[in-house]
Amino acid sequence: MKKGLLIFLFFCPIYLSWMYLPSPIPISWDEDDIIKIKSLSISQLKPLPVDPSNSFSDNEKAAIFGHMLFFDKRLSKNSQISCASCHQPSRMFTDGKKIEEGLGVGIKNTPTIIGISFSPWFYWNGRKDSQWSQALEPLESNHEHGSNRSLVAQLIFEDNTYSNLYNEIFGNSSKNTEVIFSNIGKALAAYQRKLIPGESKFDKYVNEISSSLNNEDKILSYNEKAGLNLFINKGQCINCHNGPLFTNNSFHNTGLLSIPGQLPSLGRVEGLKLARLDPFNCLGKYSNAKKEDCQELTYAGEGDEFIGAHKTPTLRNISLTSPYMHAGQLESIALVIDHYNIAPEAMIGHNEAKPLNLRPIEKKQLEAFLNTLISPLVTEKKWLLGLPKD
Amino acid sequence: MIKKIIISIFLFSTYASSESIHPVLETVSQNGYIIKIFSEVTPININVIHNWSIDIRDSKDNLIDDLIITVNGGMPLHSHGLPTSPKVVNQSSTGSYKLEGIKFHMAGKWEIVMELKKDNLIDVAKVSFNIR
């Protein structure tokens, strides 16, 4: 009995230290680690690719027009809702709510739109294949702006500033409502392409590694570095959250529960079906792309593995954009990490993720690393504010 | 059902595979065709759609044309397939084929599995490779 107690007293502190205290061993990176770490740096972000489906994607006047529209509440049925109502600049272009709320309550969480112009797919289920076509849907959605394309077109031509800008950018040859509506989307996209994340604490750390290779920097704490190590190795987060925006912009089923009272979301399976039917898609008549430019839509992946799959979100600014997941199911980063640590069976389809078996201290370290990804925008301040009349 | 499983095991145990990070991957199909397959862009960047070329010859170095090729693949360790549905097109009479619309969305070990059909005969080949 006494012997048993002694063994317990000996091993108990060792076990507790193992579970809850950081390892005393310093962290060093091998060549493979350095490659992975550098691949995540914002310095690796390539120039924003041209959107062939939107001839006005990099037109400065279209961006100015889109900026005005983004903050204009008149684009809603009750003149109370603008794009910025849910995509709030002060919240890294999210709304802080579990589920989107405009004229009514929707069914999905509002994702950030910072850096999203790099994605070939939009919405959690990828039902839109361009930023301009995405921008159209909320205008007509009953629980968002609740307006319609005719009212939007009417507003443009009743407002002298808007009609002048519109004619200057798009010409006045077509009075077709769908053409005007699609051009509104193209202007909104031109504006949103300005929203690009800048350097975070993590990126400064990568710069330090690149400059000295001696790991003597003081930028990240031990726990933050340990979290980075978990992110790129044991935690396997980098598999999906890869590249300088920490997303592969692809679709994965990670075994999330549906929100109470709702059926599980079919995810990408439904999204792709809708994208193919969308008259405003890359192959449609309102797109400026040639058929060969529409590779993402032409070769989109399909099959059972996309059942319940949702788009990988960026992790930049993750600590400022709670709650998380496609329906805001998880309120904190700690809960997200717990979810991946367990990797439960999927309600529908199959969960690609496998249990991570992280110890409590490792979960804390991973969270500490994710908190280093606050990336203030490099966008000029004028684009982040509404217009004086708002 | 059992017959199906036995056939599947046979197919997957007899085709050859190669593991390489070289630009040209070479493998031998179940029926002995020599297949060279390579990306038209190097290095292969993740998350970018691109094309590959496929060259198929028999053991006497004759080019094999008029095959109907379907391509699948994925990351067996992660239990998922390709993020896109690539298609083999431009099937000319030169034994050269073009695989369009392939994309890899993660670093790690990938497989490309080719099913080659001609005159109701089905042949299978596979290549494995790493993307960093």
Side-chain angles (χ1 to χ4, degrees):
Chain A
M1 180 66 186
K2 200 175 171 186
K3 197 178 167 188
L5 184 65
L6 283 172
I7 291 170
F8 174 78
L9 289 173
F10 178 76
F11 282 107
C12 187
I14 295 174
Y15 173 77
L16 290 175
S17 301
W18 171 247
M19 293 298 280
Y20 295 100
L21 294 179
S23 160
I25 303 166
I27 297 159
S28 60
W29 307 120
D30 63 23
E31 191 196 342
D32 200 40
D33 292 335
I34 296 280
I35 289 170
K36 288 179 188 169
I37 291 169
K38 285 187 176 174
S39 73
L40 296 167
S41 167
I42 198 74
S43 65
Q44 297 300 308
L45 191 64
K46 294 189 173 133
L48 190 52
V50 168
D51 174 1
S53 71
N54 179 2
S55 297
F56 308 93
S57 59
D58 293 316
N59 179 312
E60 199 63 10
K61 278 191 179 146
I64 292 168
F65 186 31
H67 180 207
M68 293 174 174
L69 296 168
F70 191 86
F71 288 90
D72 193 339
K73 293 178 178 170
R74 293 175 300 163
L75 272 90
S76 64
K77 191 177 178 182
N78 65 355
S79 295
Q80 296 295 312
I81 306 292
S82 71
C83 305
S85 301
C86 290
H87 297 290
Q88 300 164 18
S90 60
R91 292 178 181 268
M92 291 295 174
F93 288 84
T94 61
D95 57 6
K97 293 173 183 164
K98 277 180 85 155
I99 300 292
E100 55 188 331
E101 265 182 63
L103 288 180
V105 180
I107 55 169
K108 292 286 188 288
N109 176 259
T110 304
T112 182
I113 52 172
I114 299 170
I116 210 163
S117 309
F118 286 86
S119 174
W121 297 103
F122 299 82
Y123 284 117
W124 287 102
N125 62 2
R127 63 182 179 273
K128 292 286 185 173
D129 68 344
S130 71
Q131 195 159 24
W132 68 267
S133 63
Q134 185 283 322
L136 301 175
E137 187 173 310
L139 300 175
E140 296 194 306
S141 162
N142 286 335
H143 67 265
E144 294 179 82
H145 295 238
S147 186
N148 64 58
R149 58 197 69 181
S150 303
L151 287 173
V152 170
Q154 194 182 323
L155 170 71
I156 300 305
F157 291 104
E158 282 175 1
D159 181 307
N160 280 342
T161 310
Y162 281 176
S163 61
N164 289 339
L165 258 175
Y166 181 95
N167 291 334
E168 216 176 311
I169 300 161
F170 303 107
N172 55 3
S173 54
S174 177
K175 292 290 178 216
N176 177 289
T177 303
E178 274 68 33
V179 172
I180 296 165
F181 192 51
S182 61
N183 285 338
I184 297 307
K186 288 173 185 177
L188 280 163
Y191 163 62
Q192 291 174 73
R193 283 166 68 85
K194 301 276 184 193
L195 307 176
I196 306 292
E199 205 173 59
S200 66
K201 189 170 157 185
F202 161 70
D203 300 299
K204 292 187 176 105
Y205 175 72
V206 183
N207 294 344
E208 186 63 25
I209 293 178
S210 304
S211 64
S212 64
L213 282 175
N214 58 13
N215 296 331
E216 293 297 317
D217 61 278
K218 300 277 186 273
I219 298 172
L220 294 191
S221 69
Y222 179 87
N223 278 341
E224 288 165 344
K225 273 173 78 175
L228 169 58
N229 190 23
L230 290 162
F231 188 91
I232 62 172
N233 290 308
K234 182 179 173 183
Q236 301 174 52
C237 317
I238 197 174
N239 288 341
C240 298
H241 294 286
N242 59 37
L245 294 175
F246 288 76
T247 171
N248 61 5
N249 291 313
S250 200
F251 301 88
H252 302 277
N253 182 333
T254 55
L256 286 157
L257 291 173
S258 64
I259 56 172
Q262 278 186 25
L263 290 170
S265 165
L266 285 172
R268 179 58 172 162
V269 166
E270 187 180 35
L272 181 57
K273 209 181 280 178
L274 293 169
R276 285 183 170 148
L277 292 171
D278 182 11
F280 297 107
N281 71 20
C282 186
L283 293 164
K285 64 180 173 180
Y286 306 104
S287 160
N288 302 119
K290 295 178 193 144
K291 191 183 172 194
E292 59 268 29
D293 294 325
C294 302
Q295 290 195 321
E296 287 285 350
L297 189 60
T298 305
Y299 300 112
E302 48 194 328
D304 289 352
E305 73 177 88
F306 292 100
I307 296 172
H310 293 86
K311 200 173 124 183
T312 311
T314 179
L315 295 183
R316 288 203 174 264
N317 297 306
I318 192 72
S319 54
L320 303 177
T321 57
S322 67
Y324 307 107
M325 307 307 194
H326 63 269
Q329 295 99 320
L330 303 173
E331 283 170 12
S332 66
I333 293 176
L335 288 173
V336 174
I337 293 171
D338 279 341
H339 173 79
Y340 284 111
N341 212 32
I342 297 163
E345 283 286 313
M347 289 178 83
I348 53 166
H350 133 84
N351 185 357
E352 277 181 40
K354 296 182 175 65
L356 299 176
N357 300 316
L358 299 179
R359 290 175 281 129
I361 180 63
E362 290 179 318
K363 292 194 284 180
K364 289 272 179 216
Q365 289 169 331
L366 187 52
E367 184 175 353
F369 167 65
L370 294 172
N371 287 333
T372 71
L373 299 177
I374 293 175
S375 314
L377 284 93
V378 287
T379 311
E380 274 183 81
K381 225 171 193 160
K382 68 173 183 181
W383 297 109
L384 306 180
L385 305 168
L387 302 171
K389 65 181 178 184
D390 299 313
Chain B
M1 181 63 185
I2 291 169
K3 199 176 167 188
K4 261 188 181 175
I5 292 170
I6 292 169
I7 291 168
S8 300
I9 291 170
F10 172 75
L11 285 175
F12 280 84
S13 60
T14 52
Y15 63 36
S17 71
S18 63
E19 185 166 347
S20 167
I21 55 166
H22 296 299
V24 178
L25 303 168
E26 196 168 325
T27 190
V28 180
S29 73
Q30 177 201 345
N31 290 347
Y33 287 151
I34 298 154
I35 298 170
K36 286 181 184 170
I37 176 166
F38 57 94
S39 167
E40 291 182 357
V41 291
T42 51
I44 299 167
N45 289 320
I46 55 171
N47 304 328
V48 179
I49 287 192
H50 60 285
N51 301 332
W52 287 48
S53 290
I54 308 172
D55 179 283
I56 303 176
R57 294 165 194 260
D58 63 17
S59 56
K60 291 174 185 161
D61 207 29
N62 298 312
L63 289 159
I64 307 298
D65 53 38
D66 299 329
L67 291 168
I68 295 168
I69 305 173
T70 50
V71 166
N72 251 303
M75 299 183 89
L77 285 176
H78 297 184
S79 314
H80 65 68
L82 294 166
T84 56
S85 303
K87 293 174 180 63
V88 178
V89 294
N90 291 348
Q91 298 182 355
S92 63
S93 55
T94 63
S96 288
Y97 302 84
K98 192 173 197 175
L99 172 61
E100 287 189 349
I102 198 160
K103 178 159 86 168
F104 307 102
H105 57 327
M106 293 183 191
K109 188 174 176 181
W110 285 87
E111 281 182 0
I112 292 180
V113 181
M114 291 161 275
E115 189 183 83
L116 321 170
K117 267 190 205 171
K118 191 172 187 178
D119 303 330
N120 293 326
L121 292 172
I122 297 177
D123 194 4
V124 182
K126 179 179 81 169
V127 287
S128 304
F129 52 95
N130 278 304
I131 294 180
R132 290 182 91 178

